[in-house]
Amino acid sequence: MDPGNEILRVEQLKKYFRTPRGMLHAVDDVSFSIDEGKTLGVVGESGCGKTTLGRAILRLHEPTSGAVMFNGENILNYSAGKMKAMRKDMQIIFQDPFASLNPNMTVSQAIAEPLLIQGLYRRGSQEINRRIHQMMDMVGLASRLINTYPHELDGGRRQRIGIARALVLNPKFIVCDEPVSALDISIQAQILNLMQDLQQQLKLTYLFITHNLSVVKHLSDDIIVMYLGQLVEKAPARRLFQNPLHPYTRALLSAIPVPDPDYRMERILLEGELTSPISPKPGCRFARRCVCAVPACFEENIRLKEVEPGHFVSCHLA
Ligand SMILES: Nc1ncnc2c1ncn2[C@@H]1O[C@H](COP(=O)(O)OP(=O)(O)OP(=O)(O)O)[C@@H](O)[C@H]1O
Ligand SMILES: [Mg+2]
């Protein structure tokens, strides 16, 4: 196997939220790595911790414990000053560009903001104007739009601003949190193509979070499947679709509305009680909904194990 060039390694990452009803285990002991220039897809149903994982990696939510090794250094040990400099390398593209953009900022101001915060250019200088035009061109925004406001633009153009803001500092790693799910279907493909072109051009590494399994299959090198804060399966994208091993992954893939040539199966409906992410009990979190569960599943915690090269699963029965 190609050893690859690892850029990010997440080790036993936890993010718990204190809630009135107890500790909510939003991300619970998640480990994986990504090689430079690759895309790791993150899937799992609503509330399983995808956004929290992405934000914890960037320290937008301060992790409870674990390590985030970026180019070999644990950024969780970085001071605020060092972390600010680090932001140049690690960025995020949000789901809803309308909510994430300041309505009072023009396209030009929105793209300039990260550069000004980092103190890289002077406001109004020729250099910053050149950089803004360059970014607009890179993400496919016509230069006549430079002084428009977000509300004057459609969803696709707004997301192009979001992408330009994320890329203007020349980052290496981007968390893409459902970057197209708020967009019209007709525009989704354009934005996904743009993101793929930019990845090639700029050698970007993506953590790509989505509900859309067809999208994730198309874009990802590897995929991780999350269930209630935990990683239940990880595999090369094609392999996951050909040979899903965790009962949860099988149920998730069976719900794809469009028939997939790699994966034909009867729809598996998930029944049974959802385990609470608040102070969860030991054992597999999926056990209560799992058709294959045996008594051990309710008692013993399970570790992710490698069942074939690059294919990991956390299930007693795999
Ligand atoms: N700031 C917060 N305070 C308390 N609980 C939170 C907070 N943010 C998220 N959670 C909880 O953490 C869990 C994971 O949420 P998260 O938003 O990461 O899920 P998600 O997989 O991104 O879901 P979706 O697909 O709906 O975006 C949920 O139970 C959520 O209610
Ligand atoms: Mg989310």
Side-chain angles (χ1 to χ4, degrees), residues 87-151:
R87 293 257 170 258
K88 289 207 270 293
D89 285 338
M90 305 175 89
Q91 287 286 324
I92 183 165
I93 299 172
F94 296 97
Q95 169 171 5
D96 183 352
F98 205 49
S100 63
L101 293 173
N102 181 337
N104 302 317
M105 278 191 183
T106 62
V107 172
S108 157
Q109 289 165 336
I111 298 174
E113 191 185 37
L115 297 170
L116 296 171
I117 290 175
Q118 290 284 344
L120 297 176
Y121 293 84
R122 267 184 311 112
R123 193 185 299 275
S125 64
Q126 256 186 13
E127 291 77 20
I128 201 167
N129 288 335
R130 209 176 299 134
R131 182 67 179 148
I132 293 164
H133 280 285
Q134 189 187 18
M135 289 313 298
M136 289 182 68
D137 187 43
M138 188 187 280
V139 301
L141 281 170
S143 52
R144 68 184 155 80
L145 300 174
I146 191 157
N147 291 321
T148 52
Y149 289 90
H151 74 266

Short mmCIF file of all heavy atoms in Angstrom, two decimals, residues 87-151:
data_model
loop_
_atom_site.label_atom_id
_atom_site.label_comp_id
_atom_site.label_asym_id
_atom_site.label_seq_id
_atom_site.Cartn_x
_atom_site.Cartn_y
_atom_site.Cartn_z
N ARG A 87 -4.64 29.04 12.14
CA ARG A 87 -5.91 29.17 11.41
C ARG A 87 -5.68 29.36 9.91
O ARG A 87 -6.55 29.07 9.11
CB ARG A 87 -6.70 30.38 11.93
CG ARG A 87 -7.19 30.22 13.33
CD ARG A 87 -8.67 29.89 13.37
NE ARG A 87 -9.06 29.51 14.70
CZ ARG A 87 -9.25 28.26 15.10
NH1 ARG A 87 -9.11 27.26 14.25
NH2 ARG A 87 -9.57 27.99 16.34
N LYS A 88 -4.52 29.87 9.54
CA LYS A 88 -4.20 30.03 8.11
C LYS A 88 -4.22 28.68 7.41
O LYS A 88 -4.57 28.59 6.24
CB LYS A 88 -2.81 30.66 7.96
CG LYS A 88 -2.74 32.11 8.36
CD LYS A 88 -1.64 32.85 7.63
CE LYS A 88 -0.31 32.86 8.28
NZ LYS A 88 0.03 33.49 9.45
N ASP A 89 -3.81 27.65 8.13
CA ASP A 89 -3.68 26.32 7.51
C ASP A 89 -4.95 25.50 7.58
O ASP A 89 -5.11 24.54 6.84
CB ASP A 89 -2.57 25.53 8.22
CG ASP A 89 -1.20 26.02 7.81
OD1 ASP A 89 -1.11 26.63 6.73
OD2 ASP A 89 -0.25 25.80 8.56
N MET A 90 -5.84 25.80 8.53
CA MET A 90 -7.02 24.97 8.77
C MET A 90 -8.27 25.83 8.73
O MET A 90 -8.42 26.73 9.54
CB MET A 90 -6.92 24.29 10.15
CG MET A 90 -5.66 23.50 10.35
SD MET A 90 -5.55 22.86 12.03
CE MET A 90 -6.39 21.28 11.87
N GLN A 91 -9.14 25.56 7.79
CA GLN A 91 -10.33 26.39 7.61
C GLN A 91 -11.60 25.56 7.53
O GLN A 91 -11.55 24.33 7.49
CB GLN A 91 -10.17 27.23 6.33
CG GLN A 91 -9.15 28.35 6.48
CD GLN A 91 -9.70 29.49 7.34
OE1 GLN A 91 -10.89 29.81 7.28
NE2 GLN A 91 -8.85 30.10 8.14
N ILE A 92 -12.73 26.24 7.49
CA ILE A 92 -14.02 25.54 7.43
C ILE A 92 -14.94 26.19 6.39
O ILE A 92 -14.93 27.42 6.22
CB ILE A 92 -14.69 25.51 8.84
CG1 ILE A 92 -16.01 24.72 8.81
CG2 ILE A 92 -14.90 26.90 9.39
CD1 ILE A 92 -16.52 24.33 10.21
N ILE A 93 -15.68 25.37 5.69
CA ILE A 93 -16.75 25.85 4.81
C ILE A 93 -18.06 25.40 5.45
O ILE A 93 -18.24 24.22 5.74
CB ILE A 93 -16.62 25.28 3.38
CG1 ILE A 93 -15.29 25.72 2.76
CG2 ILE A 93 -17.79 25.73 2.51
CD1 ILE A 93 -14.97 25.06 1.43
N PHE A 94 -18.95 26.35 5.69
CA PHE A 94 -20.17 26.06 6.43
C PHE A 94 -21.30 25.62 5.52
O PHE A 94 -21.31 25.89 4.32
CB PHE A 94 -20.62 27.30 7.21
CG PHE A 94 -19.65 27.73 8.26
CD1 PHE A 94 -18.73 28.74 8.00
CD2 PHE A 94 -19.63 27.13 9.51
CE1 PHE A 94 -17.83 29.16 8.98
CE2 PHE A 94 -18.74 27.54 10.49
CZ PHE A 94 -17.84 28.56 10.22
N GLN A 95 -22.29 25.00 6.15
CA GLN A 95 -23.46 24.51 5.43
C GLN A 95 -24.26 25.65 4.80
O GLN A 95 -24.62 25.61 3.64
CB GLN A 95 -24.36 23.73 6.38
CG GLN A 95 -25.72 23.41 5.79
CD GLN A 95 -26.51 22.45 6.65
OE1 GLN A 95 -26.09 22.07 7.74
NE2 GLN A 95 -27.66 22.05 6.17
N ASP A 96 -24.53 26.64 5.61
CA ASP A 96 -25.47 27.66 5.18
C ASP A 96 -24.72 28.98 4.99
O ASP A 96 -24.47 29.71 5.94
CB ASP A 96 -26.55 27.82 6.25
CG ASP A 96 -27.60 28.83 5.82
OD1 ASP A 96 -27.39 29.49 4.78
OD2 ASP A 96 -28.61 28.96 6.53
N PRO A 97 -24.40 29.30 3.72
CA PRO A 97 -23.59 30.50 3.49
C PRO A 97 -24.33 31.77 3.93
O PRO A 97 -23.70 32.75 4.29
CB PRO A 97 -23.33 30.49 1.99
CG PRO A 97 -24.34 29.58 1.40
CD PRO A 97 -24.74 28.61 2.47
N PHE A 98 -25.67 31.72 3.91
CA PHE A 98 -26.41 32.92 4.29
C PHE A 98 -26.22 33.20 5.78
O PHE A 98 -26.01 34.33 6.19
CB PHE A 98 -27.89 32.74 3.96
CG PHE A 98 -28.57 34.05 3.74
CD1 PHE A 98 -28.01 35.00 2.90
CD2 PHE A 98 -29.76 34.34 4.37
CE1 PHE A 98 -28.62 36.23 2.68
CE2 PHE A 98 -30.39 35.57 4.17
CZ PHE A 98 -29.81 36.50 3.32
N ALA A 99 -26.25 32.14 6.58
CA ALA A 99 -26.09 32.32 8.02
C ALA A 99 -24.63 32.63 8.39
O ALA A 99 -24.37 33.30 9.37
CB ALA A 99 -26.56 31.07 8.75
N SER A 100 -23.68 32.11 7.60
CA SER A 100 -22.29 32.28 8.00
C SER A 100 -21.67 33.57 7.47
O SER A 100 -20.62 33.99 7.93
CB SER A 100 -21.45 31.07 7.56
OG SER A 100 -21.45 30.97 6.16
N LEU A 101 -22.35 34.23 6.52
CA LEU A 101 -21.81 35.49 6.01
C LEU A 101 -22.44 36.67 6.73
O LEU A 101 -23.62 36.64 7.05
CB LEU A 101 -22.09 35.63 4.50
CG LEU A 101 -21.37 34.64 3.57
CD1 LEU A 101 -21.90 34.79 2.15
CD2 LEU A 101 -19.87 34.85 3.61
N ASN A 102 -21.65 37.70 6.96
CA ASN A 102 -22.16 38.92 7.57
C ASN A 102 -22.99 39.68 6.52
O ASN A 102 -22.47 40.04 5.47
CB ASN A 102 -20.97 39.76 8.04
CG ASN A 102 -21.40 41.05 8.72
OD1 ASN A 102 -22.50 41.55 8.50
ND2 ASN A 102 -20.52 41.58 9.54
N PRO A 103 -24.30 39.91 6.80
CA PRO A 103 -25.17 40.54 5.79
C PRO A 103 -24.73 41.96 5.44
O PRO A 103 -25.11 42.48 4.39
CB PRO A 103 -26.56 40.53 6.45
CG PRO A 103 -26.31 40.37 7.91
CD PRO A 103 -25.02 39.60 8.05
N ASN A 104 -23.94 42.57 6.31
CA ASN A 104 -23.52 43.95 6.07
C ASN A 104 -22.19 44.07 5.34
O ASN A 104 -21.67 45.17 5.18
CB ASN A 104 -23.43 44.70 7.40
CG ASN A 104 -24.74 44.69 8.13
OD1 ASN A 104 -25.80 44.88 7.52
ND2 ASN A 104 -24.70 44.40 9.42
N MET A 105 -21.64 42.94 4.96
CA MET A 105 -20.36 42.99 4.25
C MET A 105 -20.55 42.67 2.78
O MET A 105 -21.22 41.70 2.42
CB MET A 105 -19.39 41.95 4.83
CG MET A 105 -18.70 42.42 6.08
SD MET A 105 -17.38 41.23 6.44
CE MET A 105 -16.78 41.92 7.95
N THR A 106 -19.91 43.46 1.94
CA THR A 106 -19.93 43.18 0.50
C THR A 106 -19.02 41.98 0.23
O THR A 106 -18.25 41.55 1.10
CB THR A 106 -19.38 44.37 -0.31
OG1 THR A 106 -18.02 44.57 0.09
CG2 THR A 106 -20.19 45.62 -0.07
N VAL A 107 -19.10 41.47 -1.00
CA VAL A 107 -18.24 40.36 -1.42
C VAL A 107 -16.79 40.71 -1.12
O VAL A 107 -16.03 39.93 -0.52
CB VAL A 107 -18.43 40.08 -2.93
CG1 VAL A 107 -17.40 39.07 -3.43
CG2 VAL A 107 -19.85 39.61 -3.21
N SER A 108 -16.39 41.87 -1.52
CA SER A 108 -15.02 42.31 -1.35
C SER A 108 -14.62 42.33 0.13
O SER A 108 -13.56 41.82 0.52
CB SER A 108 -14.89 43.70 -1.99
OG SER A 108 -13.84 44.39 -1.46
N GLN A 109 -15.49 42.88 0.97
CA GLN A 109 -15.18 42.95 2.41
C GLN A 109 -15.12 41.57 3.04
O GLN A 109 -14.27 41.30 3.89
CB GLN A 109 -16.22 43.81 3.13
CG GLN A 109 -16.10 45.29 2.80
CD GLN A 109 -17.34 46.08 3.22
OE1 GLN A 109 -18.44 45.53 3.36
NE2 GLN A 109 -17.15 47.39 3.42
N ALA A 110 -16.05 40.69 2.61
CA ALA A 110 -16.09 39.35 3.18
C ALA A 110 -14.81 38.58 2.86
O ALA A 110 -14.27 37.86 3.71
CB ALA A 110 -17.31 38.58 2.65
N ILE A 111 -14.32 38.74 1.64
CA ILE A 111 -13.11 38.00 1.26
C ILE A 111 -11.87 38.62 1.91
O ILE A 111 -10.91 37.93 2.26
CB ILE A 111 -12.96 37.94 -0.29
CG1 ILE A 111 -14.16 37.18 -0.89
CG2 ILE A 111 -11.66 37.26 -0.70
CD1 ILE A 111 -14.20 37.17 -2.41
N ALA A 112 -11.92 39.95 2.10
CA ALA A 112 -10.76 40.64 2.69
C ALA A 112 -10.62 40.36 4.18
O ALA A 112 -9.51 40.38 4.72
CB ALA A 112 -10.89 42.14 2.47
N GLU A 113 -11.74 40.08 4.84
CA GLU A 113 -11.72 40.01 6.31
C GLU A 113 -10.66 39.07 6.89
O GLU A 113 -9.89 39.47 7.77
CB GLU A 113 -13.12 39.65 6.83
CG GLU A 113 -13.22 39.82 8.33
CD GLU A 113 -14.56 39.36 8.90
OE1 GLU A 113 -15.11 38.34 8.42
OE2 GLU A 113 -15.02 40.02 9.84
N PRO A 114 -10.57 37.80 6.42
CA PRO A 114 -9.55 36.93 7.01
C PRO A 114 -8.13 37.48 6.83
O PRO A 114 -7.27 37.32 7.71
CB PRO A 114 -9.71 35.61 6.23
CG PRO A 114 -11.10 35.66 5.67
CD PRO A 114 -11.39 37.10 5.42
N LEU A 115 -7.89 38.14 5.70
CA LEU A 115 -6.55 38.70 5.44
C LEU A 115 -6.24 39.83 6.42
O LEU A 115 -5.11 39.97 6.89
CB LEU A 115 -6.47 39.24 4.01
CG LEU A 115 -6.66 38.22 2.88
CD1 LEU A 115 -6.82 38.92 1.54
CD2 LEU A 115 -5.48 37.26 2.84
N LEU A 116 -7.26 40.63 6.73
CA LEU A 116 -7.06 41.75 7.64
C LEU A 116 -6.88 41.24 9.07
O LEU A 116 -6.04 41.73 9.82
CB LEU A 116 -8.24 42.73 7.55
CG LEU A 116 -8.39 43.42 6.18
CD1 LEU A 116 -9.70 44.20 6.11
CD2 LEU A 116 -7.20 44.36 5.92
N ILE A 117 -7.70 40.22 9.44
CA ILE A 117 -7.58 39.65 10.80
C ILE A 117 -6.17 39.09 11.01
O ILE A 117 -5.58 39.25 12.06
CB ILE A 117 -8.65 38.56 11.03
CG1 ILE A 117 -10.03 39.21 11.11
CG2 ILE A 117 -8.36 37.76 12.31
CD1 ILE A 117 -11.19 38.23 11.22
N GLN A 118 -5.66 38.44 9.99
CA GLN A 118 -4.32 37.85 10.12
C GLN A 118 -3.22 38.90 9.95
O GLN A 118 -2.03 38.59 10.11
CB GLN A 118 -4.13 36.73 9.08
CG GLN A 118 -4.95 35.48 9.36
CD GLN A 118 -4.38 34.62 10.49
OE1 GLN A 118 -3.24 34.76 10.90
NE2 GLN A 118 -5.20 33.72 11.01
N GLY A 119 -3.62 40.13 9.60
CA GLY A 119 -2.63 41.21 9.44
C GLY A 119 -1.70 41.00 8.26
O GLY A 119 -0.53 41.42 8.28
N LEU A 120 -2.22 40.35 7.22
CA LEU A 120 -1.35 40.04 6.08
C LEU A 120 -1.29 41.18 5.06
O LEU A 120 -0.33 41.30 4.31
CB LEU A 120 -1.84 38.77 5.39
CG LEU A 120 -1.79 37.50 6.23
CD1 LEU A 120 -2.39 36.33 5.48
CD2 LEU A 120 -0.35 37.18 6.61
N TYR A 121 -2.35 41.97 5.00
CA TYR A 121 -2.41 43.06 4.02
C TYR A 121 -2.98 44.30 4.71
O TYR A 121 -3.65 44.19 5.73
CB TYR A 121 -3.34 42.71 2.86
CG TYR A 121 -2.89 41.57 1.97
CD1 TYR A 121 -3.14 40.25 2.32
CD2 TYR A 121 -2.23 41.83 0.77
CE1 TYR A 121 -2.74 39.21 1.50
CE2 TYR A 121 -1.83 40.80 -0.06
CZ TYR A 121 -2.09 39.49 0.30
OH TYR A 121 -1.70 38.46 -0.51
N ARG A 122 -2.75 45.47 4.08
CA ARG A 122 -3.37 46.68 4.58
C ARG A 122 -4.70 46.89 3.86
O ARG A 122 -4.82 46.65 2.66
CB ARG A 122 -2.46 47.89 4.35
CG ARG A 122 -1.57 48.18 5.56
CD ARG A 122 -0.74 49.44 5.36
NE ARG A 122 -0.04 49.45 4.08
CZ ARG A 122 -0.32 50.28 3.09
NH1 ARG A 122 -1.28 51.19 3.21
NH2 ARG A 122 0.34 50.23 1.95
N ARG A 123 -5.71 47.36 4.64
CA ARG A 123 -7.02 47.64 4.07
C ARG A 123 -6.88 48.63 2.91
O ARG A 123 -6.17 49.63 3.04
CB ARG A 123 -7.89 48.26 5.17
CG ARG A 123 -9.37 48.32 4.85
CD ARG A 123 -10.12 49.07 5.95
NE ARG A 123 -10.01 48.41 7.26
CZ ARG A 123 -10.80 47.42 7.67
NH1 ARG A 123 -11.77 46.99 6.91
NH2 ARG A 123 -10.62 46.89 8.86
N GLY A 124 -7.54 48.33 1.82
CA GLY A 124 -7.55 49.26 0.68
C GLY A 124 -6.28 49.26 -0.15
O GLY A 124 -6.18 50.00 -1.13
N SER A 125 -5.30 48.44 0.23
CA SER A 125 -4.05 48.45 -0.54
C SER A 125 -4.27 47.77 -1.90
O SER A 125 -5.23 47.02 -2.09
CB SER A 125 -2.95 47.73 0.23
OG SER A 125 -3.28 46.36 0.39
N GLN A 126 -3.35 48.06 -2.82
CA GLN A 126 -3.43 47.44 -4.14
C GLN A 126 -3.31 45.92 -4.04
O GLN A 126 -3.98 45.18 -4.75
CB GLN A 126 -2.28 47.95 -5.01
CG GLN A 126 -2.72 48.96 -6.01
CD GLN A 126 -1.57 49.33 -6.94
OE1 GLN A 126 -0.54 48.67 -6.99
NE2 GLN A 126 -1.76 50.41 -7.66
N GLU A 127 -2.43 45.48 -3.11
CA GLU A 127 -2.16 44.04 -2.98
C GLU A 127 -3.44 43.30 -2.55
O GLU A 127 -3.75 42.25 -3.06
CB GLU A 127 -1.06 43.77 -1.94
CG GLU A 127 0.33 44.22 -2.34
CD GLU A 127 0.51 45.73 -2.20
OE1 GLU A 127 -0.27 46.37 -1.45
OE2 GLU A 127 1.42 46.27 -2.85
N ILE A 128 -4.16 43.90 -1.57
CA ILE A 128 -5.35 43.21 -1.09
C ILE A 128 -6.42 43.19 -2.19
O ILE A 128 -7.10 42.18 -2.39
CB ILE A 128 -5.87 43.81 0.25
CG1 ILE A 128 -6.76 42.78 0.96
CG2 ILE A 128 -6.66 45.09 0.05
CD1 ILE A 128 -7.08 43.13 2.39
N ASN A 129 -6.54 44.28 -2.93
CA ASN A 129 -7.52 44.30 -4.02
C ASN A 129 -7.19 43.26 -5.08
O ASN A 129 -8.08 42.61 -5.62
CB ASN A 129 -7.60 45.69 -4.65
CG ASN A 129 -8.29 46.67 -3.70
OD1 ASN A 129 -9.09 46.24 -2.84
ND2 ASN A 129 -7.98 47.94 -3.81
N ARG A 130 -5.90 43.12 -5.34
CA ARG A 130 -5.48 42.12 -6.32
C ARG A 130 -5.85 40.71 -5.82
O ARG A 130 -6.35 39.88 -6.56
CB ARG A 130 -3.96 42.22 -6.54
CG ARG A 130 -3.56 41.78 -7.94
CD ARG A 130 -2.06 41.98 -8.20
NE ARG A 130 -1.64 43.37 -8.10
CZ ARG A 130 -0.54 43.77 -7.44
NH1 ARG A 130 0.22 42.91 -6.81
NH2 ARG A 130 -0.21 45.05 -7.40
N ARG A 131 -5.61 40.49 -4.53
CA ARG A 131 -5.90 39.17 -3.96
C ARG A 131 -7.41 38.89 -3.99
O ARG A 131 -7.84 37.77 -4.27
CB ARG A 131 -5.37 39.11 -2.51
CG ARG A 131 -5.55 37.79 -1.80
CD ARG A 131 -4.71 36.70 -2.40
NE ARG A 131 -4.88 35.44 -1.68
CZ ARG A 131 -4.81 34.24 -2.25
NH1 ARG A 131 -4.53 34.13 -3.54
NH2 ARG A 131 -4.96 33.15 -1.54
N ILE A 132 -8.23 39.91 -3.71
CA ILE A 132 -9.69 39.72 -3.73
C ILE A 132 -10.15 39.34 -5.14
O ILE A 132 -10.92 38.40 -5.33
CB ILE A 132 -10.41 41.00 -3.25
CG1 ILE A 132 -10.12 41.25 -1.76
CG2 ILE A 132 -11.92 40.90 -3.48
CD1 ILE A 132 -10.45 42.65 -1.28
N HIS A 133 -9.63 40.04 -6.14
CA HIS A 133 -10.00 39.73 -7.54
C HIS A 133 -9.54 38.33 -7.92
O HIS A 133 -10.27 37.59 -8.59
CB HIS A 133 -9.41 40.77 -8.49
CG HIS A 133 -10.22 42.03 -8.54
ND1 HIS A 133 -11.43 42.10 -9.20
CD2 HIS A 133 -10.03 43.25 -7.99
CE1 HIS A 133 -11.94 43.32 -9.07
NE2 HIS A 133 -11.10 44.04 -8.32
N GLN A 134 -8.36 37.98 -7.46
CA GLN A 134 -7.82 36.65 -7.76
C GLN A 134 -8.72 35.56 -7.17
O GLN A 134 -9.03 34.57 -7.83
CB GLN A 134 -6.42 36.58 -7.15
CG GLN A 134 -5.62 35.36 -7.53
CD GLN A 134 -4.32 35.30 -6.72
OE1 GLN A 134 -4.17 35.96 -5.68
NE2 GLN A 134 -3.38 34.52 -7.21
N MET A 135 -9.17 35.79 -5.92
CA MET A 135 -10.03 34.79 -5.26
C MET A 135 -11.39 34.71 -5.95
O MET A 135 -11.94 33.62 -6.13
CB MET A 135 -10.24 35.14 -3.78
CG MET A 135 -9.04 34.97 -2.88
SD MET A 135 -8.15 33.42 -3.08
CE MET A 135 -9.39 32.22 -2.64
N MET A 136 -11.95 35.86 -6.32
CA MET A 136 -13.25 35.85 -7.01
C MET A 136 -13.15 35.05 -8.31
O MET A 136 -14.03 34.26 -8.64
CB MET A 136 -13.73 37.28 -7.27
CG MET A 136 -14.16 37.99 -5.99
SD MET A 136 -14.76 39.65 -6.28
CE MET A 136 -16.30 39.32 -7.16
N ASP A 137 -12.06 35.27 -9.01
CA ASP A 137 -11.84 34.55 -10.26
C ASP A 137 -11.70 33.04 -9.99
O ASP A 137 -12.30 32.22 -10.68
CB ASP A 137 -10.55 35.11 -10.90
CG ASP A 137 -10.35 34.53 -12.28
OD1 ASP A 137 -11.34 34.46 -13.02
OD2 ASP A 137 -9.21 34.14 -12.59
N MET A 138 -10.97 32.71 -8.93
CA MET A 138 -10.72 31.30 -8.61
C MET A 138 -12.02 30.55 -8.30
O MET A 138 -12.18 29.39 -8.67
CB MET A 138 -9.78 31.24 -7.40
CG MET A 138 -9.28 29.86 -7.07
SD MET A 138 -8.35 29.86 -5.52
CE MET A 138 -6.78 30.46 -6.03
N VAL A 139 -12.96 31.22 -7.62
CA VAL A 139 -14.20 30.53 -7.23
C VAL A 139 -15.35 30.80 -8.21
O VAL A 139 -16.48 30.39 -7.97
CB VAL A 139 -14.64 30.88 -5.79
CG1 VAL A 139 -13.56 30.52 -4.79
CG2 VAL A 139 -15.03 32.36 -5.67
N GLY A 140 -15.06 31.50 -9.31
CA GLY A 140 -16.07 31.71 -10.33
C GLY A 140 -17.10 32.78 -10.00
O GLY A 140 -18.27 32.64 -10.34
N LEU A 141 -16.65 33.85 -9.33
CA LEU A 141 -17.55 34.99 -9.09
C LEU A 141 -17.15 36.12 -10.05
O LEU A 141 -15.98 36.55 -10.05
CB LEU A 141 -17.41 35.49 -7.64
CG LEU A 141 -18.12 34.72 -6.54
CD1 LEU A 141 -17.65 35.22 -5.17
CD2 LEU A 141 -19.64 34.86 -6.66
N ALA A 142 -18.11 36.59 -10.83
CA ALA A 142 -17.82 37.66 -11.79
C ALA A 142 -17.37 38.92 -11.05
O ALA A 142 -17.93 39.25 -9.99
CB ALA A 142 -19.05 37.96 -12.62
N SER A 143 -16.40 39.64 -11.59
CA SER A 143 -15.84 40.79 -10.87
C SER A 143 -16.86 41.91 -10.70
O SER A 143 -16.75 42.71 -9.78
CB SER A 143 -14.56 41.30 -11.53
OG SER A 143 -14.79 41.51 -12.89
N ARG A 144 -17.92 41.93 -11.55
CA ARG A 144 -18.95 42.97 -11.36
C ARG A 144 -19.69 42.79 -10.04
O ARG A 144 -20.38 43.70 -9.57
CB ARG A 144 -19.93 42.97 -12.54
CG ARG A 144 -20.78 41.73 -12.59
CD ARG A 144 -21.70 41.66 -13.80
NE ARG A 144 -22.02 40.28 -14.11
CZ ARG A 144 -22.92 39.54 -13.49
NH1 ARG A 144 -23.63 40.06 -12.51
NH2 ARG A 144 -23.11 38.29 -13.81
N LEU A 145 -19.57 41.62 -9.40
CA LEU A 145 -20.29 41.38 -8.14
C LEU A 145 -19.53 41.87 -6.91
O LEU A 145 -19.99 41.71 -5.78
CB LEU A 145 -20.58 39.88 -7.98
CG LEU A 145 -21.42 39.25 -9.10
CD1 LEU A 145 -21.52 37.74 -8.91
CD2 LEU A 145 -22.82 39.88 -9.11
N ILE A 146 -18.40 42.50 -7.12
CA ILE A 146 -17.48 42.78 -6.00
C ILE A 146 -18.12 43.63 -4.90
O ILE A 146 -17.81 43.46 -3.73
CB ILE A 146 -16.16 43.41 -6.52
CG1 ILE A 146 -15.12 43.45 -5.41
CG2 ILE A 146 -16.39 44.81 -7.12
CD1 ILE A 146 -13.70 43.52 -5.90
N ASN A 147 -19.03 44.53 -5.27
CA ASN A 147 -19.64 45.38 -4.23
C ASN A 147 -21.06 44.98 -3.87
O ASN A 147 -21.81 45.77 -3.28
CB ASN A 147 -19.58 46.85 -4.67
CG ASN A 147 -18.15 47.36 -4.67
OD1 ASN A 147 -17.37 47.01 -3.77
ND2 ASN A 147 -17.78 48.12 -5.68
N THR A 148 -21.46 43.76 -4.21
CA THR A 148 -22.81 43.32 -3.85
C THR A 148 -22.81 42.71 -2.45
O THR A 148 -21.77 42.34 -1.91
CB THR A 148 -23.34 42.25 -4.84
OG1 THR A 148 -22.37 41.21 -4.94
CG2 THR A 148 -23.60 42.83 -6.21
N TYR A 149 -24.01 42.62 -1.88
CA TYR A 149 -24.20 42.06 -0.54
C TYR A 149 -24.79 40.65 -0.67
O TYR A 149 -25.46 40.34 -1.68
CB TYR A 149 -25.15 42.95 0.27
CG TYR A 149 -24.50 44.26 0.65
CD1 TYR A 149 -24.59 45.37 -0.19
CD2 TYR A 149 -23.77 44.36 1.84
CE1 TYR A 149 -23.96 46.56 0.14
CE2 TYR A 149 -23.14 45.56 2.18
CZ TYR A 149 -23.24 46.65 1.34
OH TYR A 149 -22.61 47.82 1.66
N PRO A 150 -24.61 39.80 0.36
CA PRO A 150 -25.10 38.42 0.27
C PRO A 150 -26.56 38.31 -0.16
O PRO A 150 -26.90 37.44 -0.97
CB PRO A 150 -24.90 37.88 1.69
CG PRO A 150 -23.78 38.68 2.26
CD PRO A 150 -23.88 40.04 1.62
N HIS A 151 -27.43 39.19 0.34
CA HIS A 151 -28.86 39.03 0.02
C HIS A 151 -29.16 39.30 -1.45
O HIS A 151 -30.23 38.95 -1.94
CB HIS A 151 -29.73 39.92 0.93
CG HIS A 151 -29.67 41.37 0.57
ND1 HIS A 151 -28.80 42.24 1.18
CD2 HIS A 151 -30.35 42.11 -0.34
CE1 HIS A 151 -28.94 43.45 0.65
NE2 HIS A 151 -29.88 43.39 -0.27
#
